[in-house]
Amino acid sequence: MNEGDFMSLMENEIIKKQEEIINTLRMELTTAKNNENINLKRALAAEALLEDKNAQIDYLKLEVAMLQNKKYGKSSDKVDLDKYPNLFNFETFNEAEATADTNEPEPEYEEKVIKVRKNKNKNLINRLENLEEYVIEHDLTNEEKDELSTKGKLVYIGSTDTNKIAYRPAKYYKEVHKYHKYKLIPFDNDDNETFHQVKYDLAFPKAMASSSLISNVIVEKYLKAVPLDRQEKLLHNQMFDISKTNLSNWVIESCNYLKPIFNIMHNDILNFDIVYMDETVVEVIKNPNSTCRIWEMVSPKYEKPIILYFFKETREYQHAKELLNGFKGKYVQSDAYGAYDKIDGVIDVLCWAHAKRKFTDIFKVAKGKHKVHESYCSKAIKYIDSLYHVEHELDRMNASDEERYLVRNEKSKKIIDEYHNFLKEAYEIFSSSSKMGQAIFYSLNNISKLSNYLLDGRLEIDNNRAERNIKPFVIGRKNWLFSYSDVGADSSATIYSVVNTAIENHIKVFEYLIYVFDNMAKYNLDNLTEKDKLEIKDKLLPYSPNLPEYLKVK
């Protein structure tokens, strides 16, 4: 082989080697490009996992701090209300200090102001005109008038009036019921005398308390959250030796009069197309089950207001089925409790506020510390806020149910679809066992039920209507344990139902309870006839059309 052939062979070999290297580099480049997204996701997932661990530490620290404060914190009247917004008892003690503001102007009683705010029922100034009036005269003494009269003619030209809201402490009095008796002596036969006495059925015939006193006990306990032991002390201060046990007995006995009203309201709410459901944990001392529940059922906003509470020992499916037995409607708005899915004919509509809350709770901890968590939380919250923005615009437009249905399916559905795609992407990043993974999974797993509010313009985007009305039980959770038994819990559920439904219908609770007790006394409560039930429905329910005007808040 000559030198030229050798050089040519070497050149071909080099070219071949170079081509192999180039092809290898091209393949590696293509592979790298294909894996770029995967590597990016892996990097994000690794960073998210690290943040998860740090976030979990922050969650645990926060929970430990809250538990330590609850167990070892000072029982003083200095409380950070921003940090503990729901601690009712603490707020009660420092309410005056917390809400006082010397710069807040006192309401002025001017005719001009009343006319401007004539249609605002909640205006304090308007209410002055409905109050009983007591005039306190402030005049010159006779000596001052005589002295001035020596200097000229003293002419009365009128007065300057100052209006104030006054308070007279509760007044106890003895109620004497005299049943007058008569003897009828026939004109023709003195031996056939007959005796006659008026028959009047009193409520609580075996109790020393009248309807008004028992109504006051209920109002103090269930509206003002004053426990019965504290009421016992207040009564003792008024020289009445009435025990907490007496008060408990009266409250439980009052349910005999209120239960028929409760049952009729339950039947009414089952006839609505939509109901709102919620529940909260309660503790009953004598019940070994630590997860007793108060279930709540609320009417939709377009129907007459009804709020019902039911005591049940557990959160089992059978209770949901029992409460909704006979439900003639279609939709149940709830908080993702699976029991409603099992009830025939019911469409479960989930709450977007619950979905958002899971992200906002994480965002508060992650903000400024865990950028991946913060970023994904922020995106999730923005999607949900966009849905609420559509609702606010519809409210502002005073949209009809049909308009609400059309706009939601045009605008909100697109946002939900985008949110769903975002969730599927995010779920690949975060561990399913992490707080963030659980928040994502909640929305991802329930996206269909969350979207059900698009089916009917009467449905609401969240279950806040029910959550607002479960708060009385949350606030008074300790106060209702007056009997330490299931009977006490069930009694409280019945009373709260009647009281809160009365409030929602703008009825004066104290006067209404007296009216109910006195009128229910004429019925045989153990054997109400259909005629009796119709009379009660027509005259005694908080939303009955024939309630007396004096019971209504003007």
Side-chain angles (χ1 to χ4, degrees), residues 8 22 37 54 131 146 174 189 261 318 322 468:
S8 178
I22 289 170
N37 290 333
N54 292 330
L131 294 177
D146 291 340
K174 181 170 65 174
N189 189 351
I261 290 175
Q318 64 187 34
E322 176 191 343
R468 284 193 301 270

Side-chain angles (χ1 to χ4, degrees), residues 79-86 91:
V79 177
D80 184 351
L81 294 180
D82 291 330
K83 188 175 181 181
Y84 303 103
N86 295 320
E91 284 190 14

